Amino acid sequence: MKIKEIYIEGFGHFHDYAIRDLSPGLTIIKGPNEAGKSTLLAFIRRMLFGKPPGRSFNPYEPLRGGEHGGRLTVETDKGVRYDIIRQGKLDQYTIRDENGSPVQKDIESITGSADQYFYDNVFAFGLEELYRFETLSEESVQNHVTGAGVGMKTCSIPVLQKRIKDERYAFYKPGAKSKPLIMNRMKEITEIEKDIRALSKTQTKYDTSQKERRSKEVELLRLKSLKTDILKNKENWTRISAIWDDWTAYQKISDRLATLPCIGTFPEDGIHQLDRITERKEERKDMRTEKSRERENILIDCSRVQVNSAVLEHASDIQSLERGLEKYRSLVSSRDTLAEELRQAEANYQRELSALNPSWDDAALISFDCSSETQSRISGFRKNFSRYEEDLRVLSKEMEQIRNNRDADLPKRSALQEAHRASEGLPSEEDVMREKKAVDELYAEIPALERLKMDLERAEKEEAAAGERWKEAKTALTGKMPLWPAGLFIAAGVLSLGLGAMTDNLSIGAGLMVLFFIAAGVYWSAIQKHETRRKDVFDGASANVSGTTVLEWADLRRKKCDEVAALSSRLTEVARKAGFREIPSTASIAGRRDELERLSKAISERANHESEIFQLEKELVGKNVQLVEKTAEYGRTADSLSKLSAEWKTWLRSVSLSEKMLPDIVLELLPKAHQLITQFHSNQTQSERLETLITTVAEYESQVNSLILECGVLSTGSVEGDIESLVASLGENKANRTKKEDAEHSCRKLENEITLLTEEIDALLAEKTVLLEKGSSTDEDQFREHGRVWSEQRELNRELLSRRSAIARAAGKDTTFDTFIAELETLDSSEVAGALADLKERLAETEMRIEEQSTALGQIKESIAQLETEDESSRLESEKRYLCDDVNVHSREWAKRVIAGYILGKAVERYEKERQPAVIREATDIFSDISGGRYQRIIKPLDADGVLVETVAGERKEVGKLSRGTAEQLYLALRFGYIMEFGKHDVSLPVVFDDILVNFDPVRKENSCRAIAGLAEKNQVIYFTCHPDTVELLTGCVHDARVIDLGHAVE
Amino acid sequence: MQDNIDMPQPGHDRCLKFIHTADLHLGSPFSGIGSIDADVSALLSRAGYDAYERIIEAAIDHAVDFVLIAGDIYESANQRIAEQLRFHKGLERLYTAGISVYIVCGNHDPFNGWSREIVWPESVHFLSADAPEQIFHEKNGVPVAAIIGMSHPKGNVTENLALRYPERDNDWPCTIGVLHCTIGTNTGHDPYAPCSLQDLATKGYDYWALGHIHKPSVLQKQNPTIIYAGIPQGRDIGESGSRGCYLVTVRPDTDIQTEFIQTASVVWQEATVSIDDIGTLDELRQKIETRIEDIRNENTAEAAICRFTLMGRGDVHRDLIQEGALRDLSEFFREQECTTTNAVYVERFIDKTALTLDRKMLMQRGDLVSDVVALSEQMQQAGEINEDLATELGVLFDQYRRTGVLKEIDETELRELIREAETYLLDHLMQGDSL
């Protein structure tokens, strides 16, 4: 690596200072003291390796401004250029490529494996470092030199050795406080083995458990057997206890039976039978007595009952009447109601009939046809009446209207006629058109005429003027213009007005008058002008004019006059056509035009009038015709109406209605009449019904009366009462009859029963006798006694049998009854109770023990089951095996590192022993050169840090025995050796010497310069010096050395 | 059990068929379970029993005449009952199927190590530990096989038990010797009941059903046929490869056919992957994936647990030596297998890779690197280390020797470690360099 350029931004007294184009070989930077050579040396060191360690170093703060730091442009051995930039914090750097772009690169990739110490002491040093040999002995230096042999760019030997050691210890380190991996694993293995041991021996546990299980099962079996025995015993005693009462009773019964007499036979249930017989007999006796008494009572009652046969004979009638009573009541009620209703209906009917038509009676009403035909007919009448009346009304209205219209048109026609007459004096339209045309022509031509006239006038004037001037003196205009035309005009105007008034064309007249007055006015003004001219002339106002001019003017005048005349003539003709006598003025023409326009309008209006008059007259005629027609129609309709009226009246008379009645009234009357007729019929019907009711009621009453008499029942005065009496009597008699019959029946029945009862009693007596015999008794008492004994015996026997059975059951199949009895006879009650209690106690105890054994057995079985399926220990074994495997793997890793450390150590040792002298050899050659051959060898003892030098004579000297200069030369030679050795395997760093030859004598200095030159062939060398001779010597050795002058010292 | 029970006849053919198995090691733990997922852990925890069940099934399916178990059924030192009861259960099934079982006890389950409370089915015979016991296996009342075996009376038999076996009698039918023994040296197993092939061959038997060596092997095909059945389910990477039992068919002409029946649920597998010609870690992953697929396709068991050894030289070595790199690689592949059937689980990756380097050139450098290589070479060739290093290494092993956990480093392993140490050093010394 070579430095190409140095740029200092701010470092010491340097600010914005650059040194460019450093030589790849030797660059000599010269300058006096304080020029900054040491500063530059420090700058190069700092730029390559940053700040030195520790605090005691010169920071070279920028004294002249700028940011602390700068840039070093370097070129690697491969020719790649980089800028190493440190600014601000010199520990931090930036590397940029030759384009100035930052690159992600470590500075070690440029500087190699050398560190700061190594570089500062071996590559870039001054006198101070040169003289300290121990700096070369530092492990760092040694290792770098050694490491350089392996191209270690990023890992030094010490680092590697430390790493190996650390990794070893990570696996295993005896006595380590924090457990390395292997020791941790072994601890885990120990723990697991402990757990495994705890879980092992399941076979022993299993066998033991099985033995225990069998033992428990045997014991359990024994206890169960014991329990069975106890239960059996208990059962026996329980059995005895259960039948003890039976046994006691058995004994008592047996004793009692022995005391009872012996009865041969006795009928089964004999007492009961006897009792029954007796009971029955008594019962029958009682019954018989009862029945007899009953019969007698019946007979007595029967004798008291009376029956009316007549009533009974008429029972059906009575019943019939009874059934008809309700109906009777109903009929009576209906009758009364109907009578009342009928009365009211009748009254109502009469009232309404009277209201309807007082002249009507029933017959008339009945005869009145209220049918729909009648209604239709009346409706027809009404309709026709309405229609006719309506027609008449309409016709009348129409006629009125026609009349009105007609009358309204008359004045109109008169007005039109009047207007027409008024416009009779109007000229024809053709004339008017002609005149209008003429007027238009005039209007168009008169300006030309006027112009001509003006020309003429001017000509005349000129002529006149000229003539006046010419004749002024001579003549004056003669004569005055006459006034009479003006008067004529005025008269014409007045005449026109009057004519207009006469002909009702006042406007026309007025217009004409205005025209004539205008004409008069024009003429009058003409006269005035003439007079004025004349006056002027007479007053001498005319201009002088030559005769020629006058002639000319005269010619012109004449010409114009002719033109005027011609035009005037033509226009006069036209004016005449236009109704002027002569050429009118423009105003006249305008007036004339207006007049003609009015005439035209009047003519048109007259035509309209004529048309309207015609139309009106036509209409009037039509209306008159209409009126006549309508009148005729009206007459016809009135006739029809009359006829209809007559017809209507005729009909009214026919139905006995007032002739004044209108169809509407009659139509209203119809339903009422119909209703009344209906009412009439209804009344009649009701009346008939009433008759029927009355008759029916009377008949019923008659029946009742006759029946009362026949039955001999007292009448109550009313039909209902009588009926009730009859019914009651009937019922009573029926009942009596029935009662009598029942009584007789009962008597007969009772007699039969009494007979039967007597027979039964006899039978019972006989039965009793037989029973007594069966019971070996003569009388009842005896029988009963026998019966009692017999029952008791039987009862006792039964009970005895029952007790015996119980005892036999208690004895069981295995024991006979007699044996059991014999056993029981040996026992007493207290003994029985005691045995039972004792057995219960024993049973409870045995059961408890069985429970305990069962529980224990269950636990043992569970334990066995667990042992059979236990696999936790297997899992632990697996884990242990895994850990063991892991430990073995780690142990190999550890062993590998141990071996690696050993090999490395040996290799370093070998290197130091065998290869390090290469440095000495290099140094020896250089030292020999520098010393001029005085010293031929440098010796590095294995067991010493220092070196010895050997003279040509073979004399060895320690460094201490050498002069300072020679020692420095020795150290310089050694450094050269290191530099060369390092450069063989690592980056060839630039070598920087800070005036290190100062203490060398000239010869040795020259020799040293040659050595530097030799070094410069392989390494870039930058030599700082303030000595010109050194510069000369170096440049003499290296001809292409670059010399840079730092200049003056910095103050 | 009732006496005089007529055994149902398992087969109608005239061949004699039996299953030869040994070293069941029921309940024996598996290595490396903790590092693999729960499903695999469950699979491993029952794999031993599953293998045993498969042996039972095979015996029943093939309607064998009897089953020979040549020792080490379980670890009696642990005195656990669960394994014995599971074993008993399987024997019950064989009894139900009418298949006899002849057992010799091994060093792990000597005769006196079994539970006294277990009542074995009638068809099960534990051969005597006092002396070789001979039993005739009869079929329809006719002896069809003579089975001679002797159980280990205790756990550390060093006697050559084979010498005590009787020589075959002429009128003996197919004669089968059952023995739990060690033939040869350096078997990786304790040399209990040591003997030689010659010892076995001279007895004149037709078949020797051996146990103790866990790797199934046919030591001799005939005259006699001598076979180690091997452990039916490998427990760790040291018991890799197919594991099972042997179905032996003895024809009437005494021709013996053997058929290996795989019984392992989990097959342990060692595989190597070379990083030669591999430039990146991704390429390495792909190569490993390919290898895993090959293993998966070849595997006939439920799962395979594989230890990968990365070999070779290449730049990928730099990635592999980064801290946690191998662990991350293992986890990467394990995660992929989480939901896969016929899974291939990575037990671990062993890095034996190194950078590509020219040793000759290194040694010619004349610097520290060359010294390291030279020293390493020298040590590897010597196969031994100097006293200082041995003392240094011995510190760890001496401390824990009594625990029996740490295996001693033998010569081969030492050479390997030296080589790895060299690689380790070169990795650090030559970071950034390429040769």
Side-chain angles (χ1 to χ4, degrees), chain B residues 271-345:
Chain B
T272 58
V273 174
S274 173
I275 66 166
D276 294 341
D277 304 325
I278 282 179
T280 63
L281 208 56
D282 282 337
E283 286 178 36
L284 177 61
R285 282 200 193 99
Q286 283 170 15
K287 196 166 181 180
I288 295 169
E289 275 173 8
T290 305
R291 189 75 183 91
I292 286 174
E293 286 308 312
D294 291 340
I295 293 168
R296 196 195 312 283
N297 293 333
E298 292 163 2
N299 181 34
T300 53
E302 283 184 49
I305 299 177
C306 202
R307 178 178 289 184
F308 285 91
T309 303
L310 305 174
M311 313 279 290
R313 290 184 178 275
D315 287 341
V316 173
H317 171 76
R318 286 203 180 87
D319 297 314
L320 293 173
I321 61 172
Q322 298 303 318
E323 191 175 340
L326 296 178
R327 184 186 61 241
D328 291 342
L329 204 59
S330 300
E331 281 174 9
F332 172 79
F333 287 103
R334 279 187 205 141
E335 278 171 14
Q336 286 185 326
E337 294 295 324
C338 276
T339 55
T340 311
T341 54
N342 190 15
V344 176
Y345 292 98

Side-chain angles (χ1 to χ4, degrees), chain A residues 42-98:
Chain A
F43 180 79
I44 291 169
R45 282 172 168 174
R46 302 276 170 92
M47 289 307 293
L48 289 176
F49 294 99
K51 284 192 301 185
R55 297 172 184 267
S56 56
F57 62 90
N58 185 354
Y60 287 99
E61 294 291 341
L63 300 173
R64 293 191 177 182
E67 203 171 356
H68 194 203
R71 183 187 74 240
L72 213 61
T73 303
V74 302
E75 188 179 274
T76 64
D77 295 338
K78 293 181 182 173
V80 180
R81 271 201 175 196
Y82 293 104
D83 285 339
I84 300 170
I85 301 161
R86 290 183 193 258
Q87 278 178 330
K89 293 185 180 177
L90 294 189
D91 284 342
Q92 295 173 359
Y93 60 87
T94 309
I95 296 176
R96 293 179 187 271
D97 59 17
E98 55 187 339

Side-chain angles (χ1 to χ4, degrees), chain A residues 149 172 202-203 207 892 902, chain B residues 79-80 115 367 386 399 413:
Chain A
Y172 172 73
T202 54
Q203 178 180 316
D207 291 352
R892 271 54 185 166
Y902 174 80
Chain B
Q79 291 278 289
R80 284 200 297 265
S115 168
D367 57 5
N386 79 354
Q399 182 175 351
E413 200 174 2

Side-chain angles (χ1 to χ4, degrees), chain A residues 959-1010:
Chain A
V959 174
K961 295 287 171 57
L962 301 174
S963 66
R964 184 184 168 105
T966 303
E968 287 177 359
Q969 290 152 22
L970 170 64
Y971 297 155
L972 181 63
L974 285 169
R975 281 179 168 77
F976 274 29
Y978 278 121
I979 289 169
M980 285 175 184
E981 186 61 25
F982 187 83
K984 285 179 188 172
H985 309 288
D986 209 309
V987 174
S988 292
L989 295 168
V991 182
V992 184
F993 297 135
D994 186 10
D995 228 351
I996 54 170
L997 301 177
V998 292
N999 293 324
F1000 290 19
D1001 62 50
V1003 174
R1004 291 193 178 178
K1005 188 185 280 188
E1006 189 178 344
N1007 294 337
S1008 299
C1009 287
R1010 276 201 292 278

Side-chain angles (χ1 to χ4, degrees), chain A residues 18-37:
Chain A
I19 301 175
R20 296 190 175 83
D21 299 322
L22 274 76
S23 168
L26 177 63
T27 302
I28 304 163
I29 300 177
K30 67 176 184 177
N33 292 333
E34 307 295 330
K37 301 187 292 299

Side-chain angles (χ1 to χ4, degrees), chain A residues 471-536:
Chain A
K471 284 167 60 175
E472 194 173 22
K474 295 179 178 194
T475 63
L477 288 170
T478 56
K480 293 184 181 176
M481 285 175 71
L483 291 172
W484 61 263
L488 187 65
F489 281 131
I490 292 169
V494 172
L495 185 64
S496 295
L497 179 66
L499 194 63
M502 285 172 63
T503 61
D504 288 336
N505 290 315
L506 199 58
S507 60
I508 297 169
L512 286 171
M513 186 185 76
V514 168
L515 283 172
F516 284 127
F517 279 3
I518 290 169
V522 168
Y523 187 78
W524 175 258
S525 79
I527 292 171
Q528 292 299 318
K529 277 183 184 174
H530 177 74
E531 285 295 319
T532 301
R533 275 192 69 206
R534 189 170 170 266
K535 192 176 176 183
D536 285 340

